[in-house]
Amino acid sequence: MSESPRPFLGFVPLHITNDIQQIQSGVVIEPHSPSPPSPRKYMKNPYYLQNEDIGPGPTKPSGWERDIPVQLRAYTISSALFENTRETKDAAMHEAVPAIAACGVSPIVRIADNQGHLVKRALDSGAHGIIVPLLYTPADAISLVRSAKFPPLGSRGFGSPFPMPCFSASLTSTAYLQQANSSLLTIVQIETSEALENVDEIAAVEGIDVLFVGPFDLGNNIARPVVDGVMHEELQVAIKKVLDTAVKRGKKAGIFCTDGLQGGKFRDMGFHMISVATDMFVLPAGVGGELNKARGNGQTVKMSGPYGR
């Protein structure tokens, strides 16, 4: 009997207009089991807060269970990811976060950079977590956690009326306050040479949950860019360093991939969170390929690069 594929959290980014830049949705894939898996096996569970008495709400994992090929079962437990700007034009964020949560996925906001007011606005909109680019030092990570956590772990202000319905209609503000620090995800991008150098100290910061690799920016910043889809050996070593550091520190590791084949490679390496493709890749390739079949040439559309070209 062949060994079952290793479970992982998979994403497909979608690029849309207005203030929202990216939306990702994903599934955790694992072999058939008699009961739905706990997302806490892969990440902390932003899907629910910890209180079992909150009730199923709109995001009960078993309600989104469905069969997929190769005898795997998929549970839609992951995230919508979009970017709010430095100018805090986040009206679309406040509309999208509850809409996404109501569909059974956890909205995770990618903020523009590590600024406290951006962290607060994202979490106060009801986001189940944040992903933060452009970290450089352990001090940056400490500052981020301070902005993302309520006292005594941080300095996040309390009082927004918006987060609770994004978890459950019955979730009280008190329950949210008591559980948010341990339930919401704080994801940091390791994409600069400084962050790579300091990755062990960044991963050691309490409150940092996931180290997320952006290979294209990381490659550029260590002078080993991805060229024609080929990763330099030194970039591969850097990526492995991030993964090993996350595992050593008891954290999770994520990575951006351009297609499913590359995603499978990084799954086998041990990454826990994988962007398996983008809409700018799969839609032109898929539609173009079908058009070619209709024309009779049967050729597929060759795409490359982070967004398919």
Side-chain angles (χ1 to χ4, degrees):
M1 180 180 296
S2 61
E3 184 178 353
S4 297
R6 182 187 163 283
F8 68 98
L9 185 62
F11 292 85
V12 177
L14 309 176
H15 295 73
I16 62 177
T17 58
N18 297 326
D19 299 331
I20 301 177
Q21 300 299 320
Q22 297 179 21
I23 289 196
Q24 295 190 355
S25 63
V27 294
V28 161
I29 309 291
E30 76 164 12
H32 272 297
S33 60
S35 60
S38 167
R40 288 186 183 277
K41 290 163 59 179
Y42 310 98
M43 304 267 170
K44 292 198 308 189
N45 183 3
Y47 224 81
Y48 298 110
L49 295 182
Q50 297 173 0
N51 189 344
E52 296 291 340
D53 297 329
I54 288 174
T59 56
K60 183 176 176 61
S62 59
W64 295 88
E65 177 182 313
R66 65 186 186 274
D67 288 323
I68 61 172
V70 296
Q71 297 302 305
L72 297 179
R73 184 161 293 177
Y75 299 91
T76 305
I77 66 157
S78 65
S79 65
L81 166 65
F82 58 89
E83 184 171 295
N84 65 0
T85 69
R86 298 172 190 273
E87 298 174 356
T88 322
K89 296 178 180 178
D90 53 11
M93 177 179 69
H94 280 269
E95 294 177 356
V97 164
I100 291 162
C103 291
V105 294
S106 284
I108 296 180
V109 177
R110 181 189 185 276
I111 63 177
D113 59 18
N114 187 18
Q115 296 188 54
H117 73 283
L118 296 181
V119 173
K120 175 176 172 55
R121 291 184 71 85
L123 295 177
D124 282 357
S125 74
H128 293 191
I130 50 173
I131 183 167
V132 184
L134 302 175
L135 266 77
Y136 300 94
T137 67
D140 291 338
I142 292 170
S143 176
L144 169 60
V145 171
R146 188 179 301 119
S147 299
K149 304 295 185 183
F150 292 122
L153 299 180
S155 58
R156 180 185 170 195
F158 177 68
S160 171
F162 302 118
M164 286 69 73
C166 293
F167 293 90
S168 169
S170 61
L171 180 65
T172 66
S173 58
T174 297
Y176 178 82
L177 174 63
Q178 292 173 335
Q179 299 170 53
N181 279 357
S182 60
S183 297
L184 304 183
L185 288 173
T186 302
I187 304 169
V188 297
Q189 290 185 234
I190 305 299
E191 57 183 356
T192 66
S193 56
E194 293 90 344
L196 181 65
E197 181 179 350
N198 295 313
V199 66
D200 186 64
E201 291 82 2
I202 291 172
V205 173
E206 182 180 0
I208 298 297
D209 300 305
V210 183
L211 306 180
F212 192 88
V213 178
F216 289 88
D217 281 330
L218 181 58
N220 291 341
N221 283 312
I222 64 172
R224 293 294 182 264
V226 179
V227 178
D228 294 329
V230 178
M231 292 188 184
H232 192 278
E233 183 178 349
E234 291 182 25
L235 175 57
Q236 296 182 51
V237 171
I239 291 170
K240 184 67 163 53
K241 177 182 178 180
V242 176
L243 171 62
D244 290 345
T245 301
V247 171
K248 181 181 75 172
R249 290 293 185 179
K251 307 299 174 71
K252 301 297 184 180
I255 191 165
F256 176 91
C257 297
T258 55
D259 57 36
L261 290 176
Q262 189 182 67
K265 169 189 171 184
F266 286 111
R267 176 205 64 194
D268 292 342
M269 280 182 61
F271 277 88
H272 310 94
M273 174 181 173
I274 300 166
S275 173
V276 295
T278 72
D279 59 337
M280 297 296 290
F281 183 98
V282 297
L283 290 179
V287 174
E290 294 306 311
L291 283 173
N292 282 341
K293 291 178 185 178
R295 292 170 179 146
N297 58 28
Q299 295 179 357
T300 59
V301 177
K302 182 167 178 58
M303 309 291 286
S304 63
Y307 300 108
R309 52 178 164 317

